[in-house]
Amino acid sequence: MIHVSQLVKYYNGLKALDNVSFHVMEGEIFGLLGPNGAGKTTLVGILTTEVKPTSGTARIKGIDVVNDPLAVKHLIGVVPQHRSLDRKLNGRENMLVMARAYGVKNPKSRVEELLALVGLTDRADNGIRQYSGGMLQKLLVARALIHDPEIIFLDEPSLGLDPQARIAIWDEILRFKDEGKTMILTTHYMEEADRLCDRVAIMNQGKIVKEGTPEKLKNEGIMRSVVTLELKRISDDVVEEIAEFEEVEEVQVIEKGFTELHVYTHNAEKNIPQIIKIIQRHGLKVYRLRSQEPSLEDVFINLTGRSLT
């Protein structure tokens, strides 16, 4: 569906994209995860024909984004990071302007259909200045769908939204996936990428440093889980025996009026039953157990030495 090969982009001598290559399959949500300045928005700008690359190629359904931008525009819908709405118009009027720009048949009917889809029918005659951040984002999503595109680009779709509005936008994105839409989503929210994306490309300083499903990125051996157990006491023999497991990287004992055992492991699912068995064999009792799995932010920090925020 989307094929990107060795994209490079310079701005005033600074390299914003550095030989970026990837592909997106039909019907999947592909995430670009990274902090501000990683190159995500520049990459989306190229794919949506708003930015010309210095070198490299990008094709959408076989169409080159540089050679035939008009054909590409009819295939895609864009939810931009910056809210490019006409504040002199109300919600319905903003939608109608876009519908007519794309030559949509029965534009009024299509606008009403999409306003209903995102739950804005009752507020459609309100001026844009009266909309909350969540309502503005919903209107941008509806506007991007006006010509029923096959592919949707969402550039930081939940940036600046409160948790309730963010979840509402996520629900809309998942609904579009159920309808078979292909989506590219840029974000620096690890939870957003983890929850929504089929595959994720981690970007840093204009490069893709790792790509895969969220689960693969978290579990392919470069990260470790933390298993925490609370006990009344523990012996050195137990600690030494747990530390001998091949997957265990480190064991820490912390005294807090009770004993807290931290086991850092690359395979918590396998090790937890083994740890419990050892503790019980020594006549000890576990009062509380929790396991913290690695997150996409952990993966990012591990790969780049930087935080996502």
Side-chain angles (χ1 to χ4, degrees):
M1 178 66 81
I2 299 173
H3 293 273
V4 173
S5 179
Q6 296 183 317
L7 278 184
V8 174
K9 177 62 181 179
Y10 281 94
Y11 287 112
N12 299 320
L14 297 175
K15 188 179 283 188
L17 291 179
D18 188 357
N19 289 300
V20 170
S21 299
F22 64 92
H23 71 280
V24 180
M25 296 179 286
E26 185 174 357
E28 79 172 335
I29 302 178
F30 186 84
L32 298 170
L33 179 65
N36 294 333
K40 307 186 303 295
T41 297
T42 296
L43 179 54
V44 168
I46 291 172
L47 294 174
T48 57
T49 77
E50 300 299 322
V51 176
K52 286 192 175 182
T54 304
S55 62
T57 59
R59 291 184 172 85
I60 295 179
K61 293 199 73 175
I63 303 170
D64 190 288
V65 299
V66 174
N67 294 337
D68 199 348
L70 188 59
V72 169
K73 283 182 179 291
H74 283 278
L75 291 173
I76 66 174
V78 182
V79 180
Q81 184 177 151
H82 303 290
R83 293 167 180 160
S84 53
L85 295 163
D86 190 333
R87 294 189 173 265
K88 298 188 295 294
L89 305 178
N90 62 33
R92 180 177 281 109
E93 290 165 342
N94 267 279
M95 292 285 290
L96 282 168
V97 167
M98 186 62 72
R100 288 164 181 153
Y102 274 99
V104 174
K105 294 180 180 178
N106 302 314
K108 291 184 178 180
S109 174
R110 178 62 174 164
V111 165
E112 295 308 315
E113 176 189 351
L114 290 172
L115 289 171
L117 177 69
V118 297
L120 288 179
T121 300
D122 293 342
R123 304 297 295 272
D125 292 324
N126 289 11
I128 291 300
R129 298 178 191 276
Q130 300 175 42
Y131 280 31
S132 67
M135 291 168 62
L136 288 170
Q137 199 68 2
K138 284 185 175 185
L139 187 62
L140 284 169
V141 169
R143 191 182 67 169
L145 294 170
I146 196 70
H147 56 300
D148 194 23
E150 296 179 53
I151 301 158
I152 305 172
F153 290 86
L154 302 116
D155 193 3
E156 300 280 1
S158 63
L159 183 66
L161 300 185
D162 61 55
Q164 185 176 359
R166 183 177 299 168
I167 290 170
I169 291 295
W170 290 355
D171 288 342
E172 296 296 337
I173 291 170
L174 292 173
R175 185 193 308 182
F176 302 149
K177 178 177 171 60
D178 290 341
E179 295 174 358
K181 302 290 187 187
T182 302
M183 285 171 275
I184 288 187
L185 179 150
T186 77
T187 184
H188 64 272
Y189 294 128
M190 62 176 180
E191 183 185 0
E192 186 164 73
D194 207 352
R195 177 168 173 176
L196 299 179
C197 297
D198 298 299
R199 288 187 300 128
V200 173
I202 294 177
M203 293 192 70
N204 186 43
Q205 298 179 344
K207 296 181 180 181
I208 290 178
V209 294
K210 203 75 175 178
E211 180 189 326
T213 67
E215 286 306 308
K216 179 184 177 184
L217 290 173
K218 290 183 288 186
N219 296 321
E220 63 180 6
I222 60 171
M223 299 304 302
R224 60 184 187 177
S225 303
V226 183
V227 179
T228 303
L229 307 97
E230 292 182 10
L231 311 94
K232 279 188 177 180
R233 59 184 176 82
I234 198 163
S235 67
D236 291 342
D237 290 344
V238 173
V239 173
E240 290 171 7
E241 196 168 341
I242 293 171
E244 288 177 1
F245 290 134
E246 182 180 352
E247 300 86 357
V248 171
E249 185 177 303
E250 184 181 359
V251 180
Q252 294 179 347
V253 178
I254 300 173
E255 299 295 344
K256 297 182 173 181
F258 58 88
T259 298
E260 194 169 83
L261 186 69
H262 292 186
V263 181
Y264 296 86
T265 172
H266 293 286
N267 193 337
E269 185 177 358
K270 176 183 176 182
N271 288 151
I272 287 173
Q274 297 172 325
I275 293 167
I276 296 296
K277 187 175 180 180
I278 290 172
I279 289 171
Q280 290 176 339
R281 193 171 71 240
H282 283 79
L284 303 173
K285 181 178 179 181
V286 176
Y287 290 91
R288 184 177 298 175
L289 183 150
R290 64 183 182 275
S291 177
Q292 181 178 334
E293 298 300 317
S295 69
L296 285 176
E297 184 161 16
D298 294 328
V299 176
F300 185 87
I301 292 171
N302 183 275
L303 289 169
T304 68
R306 300 175 61 191
S307 171
L308 277 168
T309 55

